[in-house]
Amino acid sequence: MKKLFGKPESLTTVNHKYCPGCGHGIVHRLIAEVIDELGVREKTIGIAPVGCAVFAYDYWNFDVTEASHGRPPAVATGIKRVLPDRVVFTYQGDGDLAAIGMAETIHAANRGENITVIFINNAIYGMTTGQMAPTSLLGMKTTTTPFGREAKIAGYPIKVSELLVTLEGTTYLARGAVDSAKHVLEAKKAIKKAFEIQLSGKGYSLVEILSQCPPNWKMSVPESLEYVRKEMMTQFPLGVIKDKTGMTV
Amino acid sequence: MPKIIIAQSKCKGCELCILACSKKNIRLSQKMNKKGFHYVEIIDPDNCNACGLCFQVCPEVAIEIWK
Ligand SMILES: Cc1ncc(C[n+]2csc(CCOP(=O)(O)OP(=O)(O)O)c2C)c(N)n1
Ligand code: SF4
Ligand code: SF4
Ligand code: SF4
Ligand SMILES: [Mg+2]
């Protein structure tokens, strides 16, 4: 018998602490599979965020360091410039990447750093129990927008990937989701392409993943999947947003 | 016949695999694991086609499939 599906080598056997149905665990596995398939486990360095994924260094079976809140792109810049032969990626939530870390995000992208950014957009601050994020949808009830996000008071949801399009330094920007097996497989292709771009020295790549957070959305797991499909994907359409390489996946 | 192994101790009963299986071949067990989650079980091993859809959506990587 042959093992068709199972734990990739780039994941440890540690049971992670995410809530039932959370998208983080799926994306961790996709990254691990891609690292295995590219054969770069021994030269990969991940940068974990502050957010629910703060313990990611326990879950990946390659080198992972931690950055203070929002600073993974700055840490990644330093590591990649000093050790250009390493595969360097950041893993960040919407609070980390688009709120406190927006300046780092934009400037690393604008400098065209040869790094990969995996951006988990769950439209909420998960770890701190559900405050509004820059990506929270209009009308979305959070602990800091108890009556629903209103543009007049809290502005509009930021489309991070589209925002980065105009920066000359960005090479590849794509958006996926993990609400279904089909989208999981598509997201993996985008993640793989992003790492391949880095390996071929073509510059900055970012893959945004729409990810369910059932408890902070106050939803059951099936309801959270519907919310991703009906609401998140309307605001944040899936697909390749920018590709300067002309490489096909 | 494929062999599908579900690590009961890892499963959090999120039901994502149940929703993903086109053969409707997975159900929640009446029993709980040590963490207090109802884990899932395969209904009929003969009815599994090793498509891996359940594996693709499992956040816990609790599913292993052999053929
Ligand atoms: C400097 C600093 N400010 C604020 C916090 C509190 N804090 C911890 S996680 C977090 C936001 C997490 O949200 P996100 O990045 O979207 O990650 P998620 O948990 O949703 O995956 C905040 C504000 C902190 N730890 N450090
Ligand atoms: S709070 Fe949300 S993002 Fe954090 S582990 Fe739970 S489901 Fe995942
Ligand atoms: S491998 Fe396919 S058919 Fe078998 S249990 Fe999983 S989803 Fe269902
Ligand atoms: S997807 Fe994984 S964790 Fe969720 S119920 Fe199925 S086996 Fe358990
Ligand atoms: Mg978040």
Side-chain angles (χ1 to χ4, degrees):
Chain A
M1 270 192 148
K2 210 177 124 224
K3 198 199 275 184
L4 299 182
F5 301 96
K7 183 190 82 62
E9 198 189 356
S10 287
L11 281 184
T12 64
T13 53
V14 175
N15 292 342
H16 60 64
K17 296 180 176 70
Y18 301 118
C19 310
C22 174
H24 275 300
I26 304 174
V27 185
H28 285 9
R29 193 199 90 236
L30 294 182
I31 293 169
E33 286 181 354
V34 166
I35 299 294
D36 281 7
E37 286 168 21
L38 295 173
V40 294
R41 194 176 72 82
E42 291 291 346
K43 59 171 189 174
T44 295
I45 303 175
I47 293 119
V50 172
C52 283
V54 69
F55 298 122
Y57 48 77
D58 275 344
Y59 312 144
W60 279 313
N61 190 19
F62 45 72
D63 287 338
V64 182
T65 186
E66 186 64 60
S68 50
H69 203 13
R71 277 48 174 174
V75 174
T77 298
I79 293 174
K80 185 73 185 185
R81 286 190 181 198
V82 173
L83 302 168
D85 63 319
R86 303 303 202 279
V87 176
V88 179
F89 76 96
T90 74
Y91 184 97
Q92 302 173 260
D94 38 64
D96 193 88
L97 180 142
I100 192 167
M102 191 55 130
E104 282 75 7
T105 295
I106 288 181
H107 290 291
N110 190 49
R111 293 190 305 269
E113 297 295 341
N114 190 28
I115 59 170
T116 299
V117 174
I118 308 296
F119 167 37
I120 305 298
N121 179 359
N122 57 10
I124 200 105
Y125 289 4
M127 187 196 210
T128 45
T129 66
Q131 294 78 10
M132 190 198 89
T135 49
S136 296
L137 304 186
L138 289 180
M140 199 169 174
K141 285 187 179 145
T142 71
T143 57
T144 45
T145 57
F147 307 109
R149 181 175 187 172
E150 252 187 278
K152 206 168 55 179
I153 297 169
Y156 295 87
I158 298 182
K159 294 181 182 177
V160 173
S161 297
E162 284 82 353
L163 187 76
L164 298 177
V165 165
T166 60
L167 301 177
E168 296 287 340
T170 56
T171 302
Y172 180 69
L173 305 165
R175 187 183 286 119
V178 289
D179 63 300
S180 65
K182 176 174 173 275
H183 286 152
V184 167
L185 289 166
E186 285 169 6
K188 180 177 169 183
K189 278 192 191 160
I191 292 171
K192 190 163 188 180
K193 177 154 180 175
F195 279 103
E196 282 169 345
I197 285 168
Q198 180 181 162
L199 280 164
S200 56
K202 292 202 171 80
Y204 183 95
S205 54
L206 177 145
V207 181
E208 174 176 345
I209 310 281
L210 306 182
S211 179
Q212 54 276 7
C213 176
N216 284 308
W217 293 358
K218 310 278 185 275
M219 290 178 197
S220 67
V221 172
E223 284 168 351
S224 74
L225 301 181
E226 276 311 296
Y227 190 79
V228 171
R229 290 168 195 154
K230 293 217 170 86
E231 309 294 335
M232 297 272 286
M233 287 181 195
T234 307
Q235 178 69 25
F236 304 113
L238 303 189
V240 177
I241 292 143
K242 179 175 179 178
D243 185 358
K244 280 208 303 201
T245 65
M247 285 160 64
T248 47
V249 193
Chain B
M1 188 179 76
K3 194 168 108 187
I4 173 158
I5 307 165
I6 298 175
Q8 295 174 352
S9 62
K10 278 187 168 271
C11 177
K12 289 183 185 157
C14 71
E15 302 184 45
L16 282 175
C17 56
I18 296 178
L19 296 166
C21 178
S22 55
K23 302 222 156 201
K24 302 209 181 317
N25 198 22
I26 312 177
R27 69 177 168 217
L28 274 182
S29 167
Q30 295 296 313
K31 295 189 201 122
M32 272 183 200
N33 61 20
K34 279 192 186 141
K35 288 187 209 146
F37 293 117
H38 288 282
Y39 51 83
V40 294
E41 55 193 19
I42 299 295
I43 297 167
D44 176 9
D46 289 336
N47 190 28
C48 170
N49 61 10
C51 67
L53 295 178
C54 53
F55 169 86
Q56 295 300 341
V57 296
C58 177
E60 314 300 323
V61 201
I63 301 174
E64 206 171 87
I65 304 172
W66 295 71
K67 197 176 176 178

